[in-house]
Short mmCIF file of all heavy atoms in Angstrom, two decimals:
data_model
loop_
_atom_site.label_atom_id
_atom_site.label_comp_id
_atom_site.label_asym_id
_atom_site.label_seq_id
_atom_site.Cartn_x
_atom_site.Cartn_y
_atom_site.Cartn_z
N PHE A 163 44.92 -123.24 -81.06
CA PHE A 163 45.54 -122.99 -79.75
C PHE A 163 47.06 -122.86 -79.90
O PHE A 163 47.66 -121.93 -79.35
CB PHE A 163 45.19 -124.13 -78.80
CG PHE A 163 45.75 -123.96 -77.41
CD1 PHE A 163 45.05 -123.24 -76.46
CD2 PHE A 163 46.97 -124.51 -77.06
CE1 PHE A 163 45.56 -123.07 -75.18
CE2 PHE A 163 47.49 -124.35 -75.79
CZ PHE A 163 46.78 -123.63 -74.84
N ASP A 167 49.80 -117.09 -79.42
CA ASP A 167 50.75 -116.78 -78.35
C ASP A 167 50.01 -116.31 -77.09
O ASP A 167 50.46 -116.55 -75.97
CB ASP A 167 51.72 -115.69 -78.79
CG ASP A 167 52.66 -116.15 -79.88
OD1 ASP A 167 52.82 -117.38 -80.05
OD2 ASP A 167 53.24 -115.29 -80.58
N LEU A 197 53.98 -110.65 -69.29
CA LEU A 197 53.03 -111.09 -68.28
C LEU A 197 52.46 -112.45 -68.63
O LEU A 197 52.07 -112.70 -69.77
CB LEU A 197 51.89 -110.08 -68.19
CG LEU A 197 52.29 -108.65 -67.80
CD1 LEU A 197 51.10 -107.71 -67.96
CD2 LEU A 197 52.86 -108.60 -66.39
N LYS A 198 52.38 -113.32 -67.65
CA LYS A 198 51.75 -114.63 -67.86
C LYS A 198 50.23 -114.49 -67.96
O LYS A 198 49.60 -115.13 -68.79
CB LYS A 198 52.10 -115.59 -66.72
CG LYS A 198 53.54 -116.08 -66.73
CD LYS A 198 53.75 -117.08 -65.59
CE LYS A 198 55.18 -117.62 -65.59
NZ LYS A 198 55.38 -118.58 -64.46
N ILE A 199 49.67 -113.69 -67.06
CA ILE A 199 48.23 -113.43 -67.07
C ILE A 199 48.02 -111.95 -66.74
O ILE A 199 48.70 -111.41 -65.86
CB ILE A 199 47.46 -114.29 -66.06
CG1 ILE A 199 47.88 -115.76 -66.12
CG2 ILE A 199 45.96 -114.18 -66.30
CD1 ILE A 199 47.24 -116.64 -65.06
N LEU A 238 43.73 -112.53 -69.65
CA LEU A 238 44.52 -112.67 -70.87
C LEU A 238 45.74 -113.54 -70.53
O LEU A 238 46.60 -113.13 -69.76
CB LEU A 238 44.96 -111.30 -71.38
CG LEU A 238 45.43 -111.19 -72.83
CD1 LEU A 238 45.57 -109.72 -73.24
CD2 LEU A 238 46.73 -111.91 -73.10
N PHE A 239 45.79 -114.74 -71.11
CA PHE A 239 46.82 -115.74 -70.81
C PHE A 239 47.87 -115.81 -71.91
O PHE A 239 47.55 -115.68 -73.10
CB PHE A 239 46.20 -117.14 -70.73
CG PHE A 239 45.23 -117.40 -69.64
CD1 PHE A 239 43.90 -117.05 -69.77
CD2 PHE A 239 45.63 -118.03 -68.47
CE1 PHE A 239 42.97 -117.34 -68.78
CE2 PHE A 239 44.72 -118.32 -67.46
CZ PHE A 239 43.39 -117.97 -67.61
N THR A 240 49.11 -116.12 -71.53
CA THR A 240 50.02 -116.67 -72.51
C THR A 240 49.55 -118.08 -72.84
O THR A 240 48.80 -118.70 -72.08
CB THR A 240 51.47 -116.75 -71.99
OG1 THR A 240 51.51 -117.66 -70.88
CG2 THR A 240 51.99 -115.38 -71.57
N GLN A 241 50.02 -118.59 -73.97
CA GLN A 241 49.63 -119.95 -74.34
C GLN A 241 50.00 -120.95 -73.25
O GLN A 241 49.19 -121.81 -72.88
CB GLN A 241 50.30 -120.35 -75.65
CG GLN A 241 49.95 -121.73 -76.14
CD GLN A 241 50.82 -122.17 -77.30
OE1 GLN A 241 51.57 -123.15 -77.19
NE2 GLN A 241 50.76 -121.47 -78.42
N GLN A 242 51.21 -120.84 -72.70
CA GLN A 242 51.64 -121.79 -71.69
C GLN A 242 50.84 -121.65 -70.40
O GLN A 242 50.48 -122.65 -69.77
CB GLN A 242 53.13 -121.63 -71.39
CG GLN A 242 53.69 -122.69 -70.44
CD GLN A 242 53.52 -124.10 -70.98
OE1 GLN A 242 53.94 -124.40 -72.10
NE2 GLN A 242 52.91 -124.99 -70.21
N ALA A 243 50.54 -120.42 -70.00
CA ALA A 243 49.76 -120.22 -68.77
C ALA A 243 48.36 -120.81 -68.93
O ALA A 243 47.82 -121.40 -67.99
CB ALA A 243 49.68 -118.73 -68.44
N LEU A 244 47.79 -120.65 -70.12
CA LEU A 244 46.46 -121.21 -70.34
C LEU A 244 46.50 -122.73 -70.39
O LEU A 244 45.61 -123.41 -69.88
CB LEU A 244 45.86 -120.66 -71.64
CG LEU A 244 44.42 -121.09 -71.96
CD1 LEU A 244 43.48 -120.77 -70.80
CD2 LEU A 244 43.94 -120.45 -73.25
N ARG A 245 47.55 -123.27 -70.98
CA ARG A 245 47.71 -124.73 -70.99
C ARG A 245 47.82 -125.25 -69.55
O ARG A 245 47.19 -126.26 -69.19
CB ARG A 245 48.94 -125.14 -71.80
CG ARG A 245 49.16 -126.65 -71.87
CD ARG A 245 50.52 -126.97 -72.45
NE ARG A 245 50.60 -126.65 -73.85
CZ ARG A 245 50.27 -127.48 -74.85
NH1 ARG A 245 49.82 -128.70 -74.57
NH2 ARG A 245 50.37 -127.13 -76.10
N ASN A 246 48.61 -124.58 -68.73
CA ASN A 246 48.75 -124.99 -67.33
C ASN A 246 47.39 -125.00 -66.63
O ASN A 246 47.06 -125.91 -65.86
CB ASN A 246 49.69 -124.04 -66.59
CG ASN A 246 51.12 -124.13 -67.08
OD1 ASN A 246 51.51 -125.08 -67.77
ND2 ASN A 246 51.92 -123.13 -66.75
N PHE A 247 46.61 -123.97 -66.90
CA PHE A 247 45.28 -123.86 -66.31
C PHE A 247 44.36 -124.99 -66.78
O PHE A 247 43.71 -125.66 -65.96
CB PHE A 247 44.68 -122.50 -66.67
CG PHE A 247 43.21 -122.37 -66.39
CD1 PHE A 247 42.73 -122.31 -65.09
CD2 PHE A 247 42.30 -122.31 -67.44
CE1 PHE A 247 41.37 -122.18 -64.84
CE2 PHE A 247 40.94 -122.19 -67.19
CZ PHE A 247 40.48 -122.12 -65.89
N LEU A 248 44.31 -125.22 -68.08
CA LEU A 248 43.38 -126.20 -68.62
C LEU A 248 43.77 -127.64 -68.27
O LEU A 248 42.91 -128.52 -68.23
CB LEU A 248 43.25 -126.02 -70.13
CG LEU A 248 42.53 -124.74 -70.55
CD1 LEU A 248 42.62 -124.53 -72.06
CD2 LEU A 248 41.08 -124.75 -70.08
N GLU A 249 45.05 -127.87 -68.01
CA GLU A 249 45.46 -129.20 -67.60
C GLU A 249 44.96 -129.53 -66.19
O GLU A 249 44.83 -130.70 -65.82
CB GLU A 249 46.99 -129.33 -67.66
CG GLU A 249 47.54 -129.40 -69.08
CD GLU A 249 47.05 -130.61 -69.86
OE1 GLU A 249 46.99 -131.72 -69.28
OE2 GLU A 249 46.66 -130.45 -71.04
N ALA A 264 43.53 -120.71 -61.84
CA ALA A 264 44.57 -120.21 -62.74
C ALA A 264 45.86 -119.93 -61.99
O ALA A 264 46.97 -120.21 -62.48
CB ALA A 264 44.09 -118.96 -63.46
N ALA A 267 47.52 -123.15 -60.80
CA ALA A 267 48.19 -123.83 -61.91
C ALA A 267 49.48 -123.13 -62.32
O ALA A 267 50.40 -123.78 -62.83
CB ALA A 267 47.25 -123.92 -63.11
N ASN A 268 49.58 -121.82 -62.10
CA ASN A 268 50.73 -121.06 -62.60
C ASN A 268 51.62 -120.47 -61.51
O ASN A 268 52.64 -119.87 -61.82
CB ASN A 268 50.23 -119.94 -63.51
CG ASN A 268 49.76 -120.45 -64.85
OD1 ASN A 268 50.57 -120.78 -65.71
ND2 ASN A 268 48.45 -120.53 -65.04
N TYR A 276 51.84 -111.33 -63.09
CA TYR A 276 50.42 -111.07 -63.21
C TYR A 276 50.16 -109.58 -62.96
O TYR A 276 50.73 -109.01 -62.03
CB TYR A 276 49.62 -111.88 -62.20
CG TYR A 276 50.08 -113.32 -62.06
CD1 TYR A 276 50.59 -113.81 -60.85
CD2 TYR A 276 50.03 -114.20 -63.14
CE1 TYR A 276 51.01 -115.12 -60.72
CE2 TYR A 276 50.44 -115.52 -63.02
CZ TYR A 276 50.94 -115.97 -61.80
OH TYR A 276 51.37 -117.27 -61.69
#
Side-chain angles (χ1 to χ4, degrees):
F163 181 87
D167 292 341
L197 300 171
K198 288 183 178 179
I199 313 175
L238 198 169
F239 295 84
T240 63
Q241 181 190 117
Q242 186 59 55
L244 184 54
R245 181 190 290 272
N246 293 344
F247 167 70
L248 290 172
E249 288 298 318
N268 286 284
Y276 317 117

